[in-house]
Amino acid sequence: FMGAVILFNIFMIMVETERRSYCEDPLAASCPANNADIWVPDLLCLIAYIIELMMRMYVYQCKFCRVPWNVFDFFVVALTLMGEVFGSHFKDAVIIRVIRITRLARMLRLLTIFQELYLMIAGMASTLRTIFWACIMLIAVLAVCALVAVEILKPVAAEIEENKGFGDCDRCGRAFE
């Protein structure tokens, strides 16, 4: 059941985002994203999340905090609830929308239920670690190449500048400064 609620919530957030993109002032009452057909289902999804969280707290009792997904869901629902309660006090509604989008992170929990999807996510996570370290290595290599280029090409650029080889380009001679 909660999987269907999460998917419905994702759909409603996409509809709201699409409607909000047409508004010049997203906070105005005339903006179609602020209609009741958007905020009522959104509020119902939040109520369903709160009820589910309270039921899990009742079932798990003291062991509730030992399950990482429960703690994650608690913080996501708490952030969303705070966003709804204090949303009227913030002029910048982008913060509130980002907090509401964190509810979509609950979908990750659904993906781990199925063995095949769990294996795909675990593979992507390990791949992201490899890509992260590859990016760090590329940055280091590019930094070294930039230092070498400045050391080697700066005298060449200065010589070309003296011989007026750059023509009308004023900044070409200063490229390696």
Side-chain angles (χ1 to χ4, degrees):
F1 174 74
M2 286 312 292
V5 172
I6 291 171
L7 290 175
F8 176 73
N9 192 249
I10 289 170
F11 173 75
M12 291 308 296
I13 288 177
M14 286 193 284
V15 169
E16 177 187 3
T17 303
E18 191 264 336
R19 286 186 183 181
R20 200 169 298 284
S21 68
Y22 295 123
C23 300
E24 288 185 26
D25 181 15
L27 301 176
S30 61
C31 180
N34 297 329
N35 291 348
D37 65 331
I38 295 292
W39 65 264
V40 170
D42 187 56
L43 188 62
L44 291 175
C45 288
L46 178 60
I47 290 170
Y49 293 149
I50 291 171
I51 290 171
E52 182 219 7
L53 189 67
M54 289 172 53
M55 287 171 46
R56 271 196 275 145
M57 287 176 147
Y58 177 75
V59 169
Y60 283 103
Q61 294 178 358
C62 295
K63 297 176 186 174
F64 178 82
C65 293
R66 293 183 187 162
V67 179
W69 281 115
N70 289 341
V71 176
F72 175 74
D73 283 346
F74 176 80
F75 282 115
V76 167
V77 171
L79 274 175
T80 306
L81 192 57
M82 287 184 348
E84 291 294 325
V85 171
F86 298 116
S88 61
H89 299 294
F90 294 114
K91 295 289 183 199
D92 189 12
V94 173
I95 297 169
I96 303 306
R97 286 195 295 273
V98 169
I99 289 172
R100 286 182 44 224
I101 289 174
T102 59
R103 277 194 273 177
L104 302 182
R106 292 181 57 148
M107 188 175 80
L108 294 175
R109 183 168 168 226
L110 292 177
L111 297 178
T112 60
I113 293 173
F114 303 104
Q115 180 72 25
E116 293 82 8
L117 290 176
Y118 177 76
L119 291 173
M120 286 174 52
I121 290 173
M124 284 178 22
S126 67
T127 303
L128 288 176
R129 280 193 301 263
T130 304
I131 290 172
F132 170 76
W133 287 112
C135 287
I136 296 297
M137 186 181 73
L138 282 173
I139 290 170
V141 168
L142 287 174
V144 170
C145 289
L147 291 173
V148 170
V150 167
E151 291 298 322
I152 292 173
L153 296 178
K154 184 175 181 181
V156 175
E159 185 179 324
I160 294 173
E161 176 81 23
E162 286 177 16
N163 296 333
K164 306 285 186 206
F166 290 124
D168 292 342
C169 183
D170 292 332
R171 61 186 187 155
C172 293
R174 295 178 280 136
F176 293 102
E177 290 179 0

